[in-house]
Amino acid sequence: MLFGMRSLTRNWQVGDGREEALATYVLAHARAGDVDDAIRVIDDFCLTRSVMINVGDEKGEILDQAVQRASPALLLELGTYCGYSGLRMARVMPADARLCSVEFSPANADIARRIWAHAGVGDRLTVVLGTLGDGGATIERLRNDFGFTDGAVDFVFVDHDKDAYLPDLERILRERWLHPGSIVLADNVKFPGAPKYQAYIEAQEGRTWRTVEHDTHVEYQSLLKDLVLESEYMGEPA
Ligand SMILES: C[S@@+](CC[C@H](N)C(=O)[O-])C[C@H]1O[C@@H](n2cnc3c(N)ncnc32)[C@H](O)[C@@H]1O
């Protein structure tokens, strides 16, 4: 993984084909139409073969509980990768809810789509190829094609480029997609770290946001510490 850091920061793939290998492994070993089994097989692949940058099993439980608390109808994810967190959200979100996951790597988007189709959740999860920072095209697509209107988004999982966490949250707020009670969960706030996002959320505590800090570990190991922030939007002050 360490040798793959340069490739990861440039292409968002480790560079040794492990993402494509994961898709092949899931399609060969997970029972078709079984989301639990797809999650189990991905965790097994990451623990026994190649570490990946999924949210992982430990932080995945924080994600599960946050989604259950929000009981969302419309979810937004920033950063799909191979679709692991999407599977976890599909498993716990209400049956008629929809997740749109924004991903700018066509290769990662394609892998996630294949895994989701195999797990039987492809009708409730959509990868939107793009990025919120592309000058408006992706935001317009979410608005026009997926019902991202005023107050429509109940849950956001922020898990993409750490420098984009705060600018993309500001874009979401400008679009007024959130409502009081919407939950935004941010991964990797300690490692690799999203200091500007963390400083903003801390400065807004009790005003625009009410935040619970989850002390946890980086995915698939127990030495490196990480922090996940679960923030409830309180609306703009009058
Ligand atoms: C840490 S991975 C996401 C892991 C995934 N959420 C999971 O837990 O299974 C980050 C992903 O975000 C994508 N990404 C990075 N910057 C992005 C941006 N500005 N907009 C959209 N996607 C981005 C990368 O291509 C990569 O697939």
Side-chain angles (χ1 to χ4, degrees):
M1 179 61 105
L2 281 178
F3 294 113
M5 284 314 284
R6 180 180 283 190
S7 170
L8 252 185
T9 49
R10 213 181 298 139
N11 312 317
W12 290 94
Q13 291 206 341
V14 178
D16 59 0
R18 69 181 65 189
E19 289 82 7
E20 193 55 47
L22 174 75
T24 305
Y25 191 80
V26 171
L27 267 60
H29 292 91
R31 274 187 302 276
D34 186 336
V35 67
D36 292 314
D37 210 41
I39 293 168
R40 179 191 67 76
V41 167
I42 296 176
D43 284 333
D44 171 63
F45 182 93
C46 294
L47 289 165
T48 62
R49 291 173 182 245
S50 308
V51 174
M52 320 268 302
I53 55 166
N54 311 317
V55 68
D57 50 356
E58 181 182 341
K59 290 186 288 183
E61 288 185 14
I62 299 169
L63 175 62
D64 298 348
Q65 283 162 19
V67 171
Q68 282 168 316
R69 254 195 304 277
S71 190
L74 184 60
L75 301 86
L76 171 66
E77 175 175 59
L78 303 180
T80 315
Y81 194 44
C82 301
Y84 174 84
S85 48
L87 291 172
R88 291 197 78 110
M89 287 188 267
R91 182 165 66 170
V92 295
M93 69 193 197
D96 57 353
R98 165 158 295 280
L99 166 72
C100 290
S101 183
V102 175
E103 169 60 55
F104 68 15
S105 155
N108 291 349
D110 182 58
I111 289 168
R113 285 191 188 110
R114 275 183 275 147
I115 290 178
W116 290 348
H118 183 77
V121 294
D123 55 337
R124 297 193 292 139
L125 312 189
T126 305
V127 183
V128 177
L129 198 56
T131 168
L132 295 190
D134 62 6
T138 299
I139 285 177
E140 204 175 309
R141 208 168 148 223
L142 288 166
R143 195 188 301 131
N144 295 340
D145 298 351
F146 298 103
F148 279 59
T149 52
D150 275 23
V153 177
D154 308 296
F155 188 88
V156 184
F157 183 41
V158 185
D159 192 20
H160 59 330
D161 176 4
K162 310 311 154 196
D163 292 335
Y165 277 26
L166 183 54
D168 281 354
L169 181 66
E170 288 168 345
R171 289 183 178 99
I172 289 168
L173 290 173
R174 273 200 299 278
E175 292 304 310
R176 300 178 183 275
W177 287 342
L178 304 183
H179 58 80
S182 296
I183 301 290
V184 176
L185 192 80
D187 190 18
N188 303 121
V189 174
K190 191 191 284 281
F191 186 89
K196 288 186 180 156
Y197 180 90
Q198 185 175 9
Y200 161 79
I201 286 289
E202 282 173 4
Q204 291 297 318
E205 177 61 23
R207 286 192 274 195
T208 334
W209 298 95
R210 195 183 294 122
T211 295
V212 175
E213 298 189 352
H214 297 276
D215 289 314
T216 178
H217 297 94
V218 171
E219 45 271 22
Y220 301 117
Q221 53 78 58
S222 56
L223 287 177
L224 287 173
K225 294 203 186 327
D226 200 356
L227 176 68
V228 171
L229 295 184
E230 179 178 349
S231 305
E232 180 183 342
Y233 184 56
M234 298 167 69
E236 292 304 319

